[in-house]
Amino acid sequence: MNLHPSTVTTRGSIPDSTTDNRQAWYAFLLPWWKAAQNILFLYFITRLIFLLLTYFGASLFLLPNYSIEHLNLEDAFHMWYRWDTVRFLTIATDGYTKVQYAAFFPLYPALTALLSHIMPFQSLLLSAMLISNIAALGMMLVLYRFVETEFGIETARRTVLYQAIFPTAFFFFSGYNESLFIFLMLCCIYALRRGAWWFAGLFGFLAALSRSIAILLLLIFVCEYVRQHWPTLRAQLRPLNLKALFAHIPTLFPALFIPLGLVIYMLGLTVHLGDPLAFSHAQVDWRTGLVIPGMALYQSIEQIIIHYPLSFSTPHVLIDFGFFMGCAALFFLAIFSHDRFARDQWPLLVFWGFALLYAILWPGVPGLPGQGYDPMPSTQRFVLEIFMAFIMLARLSIRHPRLHLSYVLLALPFLAVLTLQFLLGYWTV
């Protein structure tokens, strides 16, 4: 009897299908394992930096000179209980009891509440920070893999480094949802670039439960689908073939998961607050209405001119304005410079451009008479989400080594200063 060798199974042998599956899994997991090896040291050393800043910030700034008193560990970590962290933990405990809380989307506080009931320490603050740090690890891993596949290993290493030591990167350690959102956003875009539409829709859905800007992922979904299917779409448009065009709808169906996340949140707000748009109406405490794009930039320059350089307002406005202009400059370099993005990466530029507009269309609410005014509040935190800027900076630094050294030497002390400012309860962003 003649049998094909692939169908013969002897004692101790493994069927070819099982071997093929194992090889496929190995081929899939190997680059992720190598990526993990490349980012783990950076991840742990940055966690150590924040722990050291917590320790020295608590012991050197909270105790009087020559005091024999001491603090416990809870006192030290309580320094991270600031600003939006308080709001997230209040939501995790009491839910959406005020319209103002609706500006903070539900996924992060829900995970915090869940973890606090599972972990033995049952601390909301530590649970929130643990989620942020786990998400930061995932964020760094996916960012590395994404950049490695799109731009190469050296660019990936520098991109992850630059984001990890950015002056406001302490939000990846604190009880904020920055790292969770960026992780989900990166997973969505990574899946889109590989045509994994259902995975992209799932991660986009979760991202939309984290931040309102996630709705831009719907635009990127459509752009990426058009890019990958453009030869077919062009043939179906000329001459117009409606039947063939409608055949694309089932493939695009996962894109609806992204707005579905927002719709579910709106339904929840209707039940709890009676206002499905409460997440937008809550911004009245922080943002003005929609303005022309250049107004916030003009107001920032005006504030820098009319206030003394050593006033409270000037450095805050300079930081926001400077980080935005740096991100905008990198955007134009990504389009026109020698190190510009490849032609097939144009959906990334679309996201980048709309994210920059999103940052300046709703200026900050002016303070009371006699107070300083920051027209672009939280911009230095917001640019963390525009990961393409760090990619472009990495590409430029490969060609210009002094740029790399300058960034590292400037970013690290700036990171330490802003972290300590946050820990001590002073307004940072």
Side-chain angles (χ1 to χ4, degrees):
M1 180 184 296
N2 264 338
L3 293 175
H4 193 278
S6 63
T7 65
V8 177
T9 302
T10 60
R11 180 177 296 182
S13 67
I14 301 175
D16 285 351
S17 60
T18 304
T19 303
D20 291 343
N21 288 337
R22 288 182 177 178
Q23 291 176 344
W25 275 107
Y26 179 80
F28 171 76
L29 293 175
L30 181 61
W32 287 96
W33 171 242
K34 290 182 177 180
Q37 290 177 312
N38 280 305
I39 62 98
L40 277 176
F41 176 77
L42 177 62
Y43 174 78
F44 285 117
I45 199 66
T46 49
R47 301 313 98 182
L48 177 61
I49 288 174
F50 296 127
L51 288 173
L52 289 173
L53 288 171
T54 303
Y55 167 73
F56 285 110
S59 58
L60 296 180
F61 294 105
L62 296 186
L63 296 174
N65 290 336
Y66 306 106
S67 172
I68 61 171
E69 298 177 0
H70 68 277
L71 302 170
N72 58 41
L73 191 61
E74 185 179 355
D75 293 329
F77 274 97
H78 193 75
M79 296 179 72
W80 290 98
Y81 188 66
R82 307 289 186 188
W83 311 113
D84 289 355
T85 299
V86 178
R87 299 183 176 96
F88 278 122
L89 299 192
T90 301
I91 295 169
T93 305
D94 303 324
Y96 290 92
T97 57
K98 298 180 181 179
V99 173
Q100 290 80 2
Y101 292 159
F104 304 92
F105 278 48
L107 182 60
Y108 183 70
L111 292 175
T112 298
L114 177 62
L115 185 61
S116 68
H117 288 93
I118 297 174
M119 300 301 291
F121 45 75
Q122 293 187 342
S123 167
L124 278 174
L125 177 59
L126 292 180
S127 296
M129 295 179 68
L130 183 59
I131 290 171
S132 293
N133 282 272
I134 293 173
L137 177 60
M139 174 193 72
M140 294 171 69
L141 180 62
V142 179
L143 179 61
Y144 184 95
R145 276 293 295 144
F146 176 81
V147 180
E148 180 187 26
T149 56
E150 296 279 345
F151 299 94
I153 293 177
E154 185 57 32
T155 302
R157 288 173 177 167
R158 297 189 181 215
T159 299
V160 176
L161 170 65
Y162 293 164
Q163 188 189 51
I165 64 171
F166 190 73
T168 53
F170 61 87
F171 286 109
F172 298 148
F173 186 81
S174 67
Y176 275 60
N177 69 347
E178 244 66 35
S179 55
L180 177 64
F181 170 70
I182 298 174
F183 167 66
L184 295 171
M185 176 182 66
L186 282 167
C187 288
C188 177
I189 296 176
Y190 183 88
L192 285 175
R193 295 291 289 178
R194 277 141 195 81
W197 311 115
W198 285 99
F199 281 107
L202 173 62
F203 287 117
F205 168 79
L206 295 173
L209 289 171
S210 303
R211 296 292 292 270
S212 59
I213 195 177
I215 199 66
L216 289 180
L217 293 174
L218 177 61
L219 174 63
I220 305 307
F221 195 114
V222 176
C223 289
E224 190 60 36
Y225 185 86
V226 170
R227 183 192 70 82
Q228 295 184 28
H229 294 84
W230 179 241
T232 302
L233 290 170
R234 182 170 55 185
Q236 294 167 351
L237 288 170
R238 297 181 181 179
L240 184 63
N241 186 340
L242 290 177
K243 183 178 180 180
L245 289 173
F246 284 141
H248 292 277
I249 292 178
T251 310
L252 284 169
F253 180 78
L256 297 178
F257 280 25
I258 299 171
L260 178 62
L262 181 60
V263 169
I264 290 176
Y265 182 43
M266 293 170 66
L267 291 174
L269 292 175
T270 303
V271 172
H272 290 283
L273 298 174
D275 181 5
L277 298 177
F279 70 93
S280 178
H281 298 156
Q283 295 292 338
V284 71
D285 289 338
W286 298 284
R287 303 279 181 171
T288 65
L290 187 68
V291 299
I292 59 175
M295 181 59 67
L297 300 176
Y298 168 78
Q299 291 174 333
S300 296
I301 296 172
E302 182 183 45
Q303 292 297 312
I304 294 171
I305 293 174
I306 66 176
H307 287 98
Y308 288 104
L310 293 178
S311 66
F312 175 87
S313 292
T314 301
H316 285 80
V317 177
L318 275 174
I319 292 171
D320 279 316
F321 180 76
F323 284 167
F324 176 85
M325 294 306 296
C327 192
L330 289 170
F331 173 69
F332 286 104
L333 289 172
I335 299 175
F336 301 111
S337 75
H338 179 272
D339 297 298
R340 61 186 176 271
F341 283 21
R343 185 171 297 179
D344 67 343
Q345 293 166 338
W346 62 267
L348 300 178
L349 295 173
V350 171
F351 181 91
W352 191 349
F354 274 94
L356 288 173
L357 281 176
Y358 186 91
I360 61 174
L361 287 177
W362 291 272
V365 174
L368 298 174
Q371 291 184 344
Y373 173 42
D374 185 359
M376 301 170 62
S378 302
T379 300
Q380 64 267 54
R381 175 161 57 95
F382 178 74
V383 297
L384 288 169
E385 300 167 7
I386 310 179
F387 64 92
M388 294 76 70
F390 297 103
I391 296 174
M392 189 61 209
L393 185 62
R395 287 170 63 83
L396 291 171
S397 72
I398 293 174
R399 287 169 50 84
H400 307 284
R402 289 184 178 179
L403 177 61
H404 169 76
L405 184 61
S406 299
Y407 180 88
V408 172
L409 292 178
L410 289 171
L412 281 172
F414 205 1
L415 172 62
V417 169
L418 292 186
T419 302
L420 287 173
Q421 185 187 29
F422 180 89
L423 291 175
L424 295 173
Y426 292 99
W427 178 245
T428 304
V429 293

